[in-house]
């Protein structure tokens, strides 16, 4: 069974500062993928970044980077230089390998960027 | 390229009625996923269709059902609506489910279902 844990229900960050959103996971799959999504108040889910379990380097996409520590089973999202538009819910998700594997989402972290 | 589309945007039903929600995936995507997001909660996986077949199902009662059509669009049906079914229902699509490829899901804007 897959499990995603996001222990921070809400966080505040000052504009232009960096912020780390925590995500830990549990799976017995040898190969898996980790995702982060952003959900603004409008409701749509926006894909941010992906990390494969066998990727040698941590994923980066613009201001987003994923701090992947496989031994600790953590996949924290780092947002650098926070902007007011970053205020949203952020969800960590995981998908196992092979067929019939659904994506499991965490409960999310609400990030509020303060001017 | 058009994204995932869902209809209707909002749906208001009374308890006991049936609701039908629709989703059109991105062109070329064969997998469609349905999620329920109740107020203040994360996404709960509902159903996953690929190539017209149900591949996996979340922990929801049988009154939540759906299907995938030959053009890969999908329908979610909720029978005997209950007040707690009020939620945002999100549809997502991806290239496919087979093999070791792990790819991201692209989400639609959602259908907000309100049960009164």
């Amino acid at each position: 069974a897959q499990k995603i844990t996001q222990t921070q229900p809400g966080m505040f960050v000052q504009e232009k500062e960096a912020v780390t959103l925590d995500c830990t996971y549990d799976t017995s799959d040898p190969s898996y993928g980790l995702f982060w999504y952003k959900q603004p108040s409008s409701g749509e889910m926006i894909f941010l970044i992906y990390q494969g379990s066998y990727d040698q380097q941590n994923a980066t996409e613009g201001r987003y980077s994923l701090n992947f520590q496989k031994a600790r089973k953590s996949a924290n999202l780092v947002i650098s230089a926070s902007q007011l538009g970053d205020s949203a819910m952020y969800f960590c998700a995981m998908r196992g390998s092979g067929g019939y594997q659904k994506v499991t989402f965490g409960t999310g972290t609400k990030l509020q960027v303060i001017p | 390229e058009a994204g995932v589309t869902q209809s209707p945007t909002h749906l208001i039903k009374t308890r006991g009625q049936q609701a039908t929600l629709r989703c059109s995936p991105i062109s070329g995507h064969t997998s469609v996923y349905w999620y329920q997001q109740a107020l203040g909660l994360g996404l709960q996986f509902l159903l996953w269709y690929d190539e017209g077949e149900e591949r996996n199902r979340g922990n929801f009662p049988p009154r939540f059902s759906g299907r995938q059509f030959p053009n890969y669009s999908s329908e979610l049906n909720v029978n005997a609506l209950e007040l707690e079914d009020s939620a945002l229902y999100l549809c997502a699509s991806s290239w496919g489910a087979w093999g070791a490829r792990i790819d991201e899901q692209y989400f639609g804007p959602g259908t907000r279902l309100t049960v009164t």
Side-chain angles (χ1 to χ4, degrees):
Chain A
Q2 300 176 169
K3 186 177 181 181
I4 293 281
T5 302
Q6 293 181 255
T7 57
Q8 305 155 313
M11 288 193 69
F12 291 92
V13 64
Q14 205 77 33
E15 194 178 7
K16 300 181 184 177
E17 297 290 316
V19 63
T20 298
L21 306 183
D22 294 340
C23 173
T24 58
Y25 63 91
D26 192 22
T27 181
S28 56
D29 282 339
S31 176
Y32 49 89
L34 297 154
F35 306 83
W36 277 91
Y37 287 88
K38 172 185 178 182
Q39 187 180 41
S41 56
S42 51
E44 77 270 25
M45 294 285 283
I46 303 167
F47 167 74
L48 295 177
I49 196 167
Y50 164 78
Q51 177 83 44
S53 59
Y54 287 112
D55 291 344
Q56 294 297 315
Q57 299 201 0
N58 287 346
T60 60
E61 290 286 346
R63 293 187 300 112
Y64 304 108
S65 61
L66 203 152
N67 184 3
F68 180 49
Q69 297 187 45
K70 196 171 182 178
R72 294 185 176 184
K73 293 190 174 181
S74 73
N76 299 338
L77 176 70
V78 180
I79 305 174
S80 62
S82 296
Q83 302 172 357
L84 295 178
D86 293 335
S87 295
M89 283 290 289
Y90 288 82
F91 292 95
C92 179
M94 177 174 66
R95 179 176 176 177
S97 61
Y100 306 109
Q101 294 295 332
K102 66 181 185 291
V103 176
T104 301
F105 282 80
T107 52
T109 295
K110 184 172 184 178
L111 177 66
Q112 296 189 57
V113 180
I114 305 166
Chain B
E1 177 183 285
V4 177
T5 60
Q6 291 186 245
S7 63
T9 305
H10 293 89
L11 189 58
I12 300 175
K13 294 284 186 178
T14 57
R15 196 168 57 180
Q17 285 187 316
Q18 179 196 40
T20 298
L21 289 65
R22 296 180 177 83
C23 171
S24 291
I26 291 173
S27 178
H29 286 190
T30 63
S31 274
V32 171
Y33 308 78
W34 287 97
Y35 295 89
Q36 182 196 65
Q37 187 179 23
L39 189 64
L41 299 178
L43 275 72
Q44 302 294 315
F45 168 74
L46 261 168
L47 289 160
W48 171 14
Y49 292 95
D50 183 67
E51 296 285 359
E53 295 188 21
E54 183 180 302
R55 298 299 186 187
N56 210 334
R57 182 183 181 85
N59 189 25
F60 281 85
R63 57 191 186 83
F64 287 85
S65 65
R67 53 180 171 168
Q68 187 179 32
F69 300 99
N71 66 354
Y72 302 113
S73 67
S74 178
E75 202 173 79
L76 173 69
N77 295 295
V78 188
N79 294 320
L81 284 165
E82 300 178 2
L83 296 178
E84 52 264 35
D85 296 334
S86 295
L88 179 68
Y89 289 83
L90 290 165
C91 169
S93 73
S94 69
W95 285 105
W98 299 106
R101 178 174 180 177
I102 303 169
D103 52 333
E104 65 269 24
Q105 297 180 2
Y106 295 83
F107 283 80
T111 292
R112 188 163 295 282
L113 173 65
T114 302
V115 183
T116 61

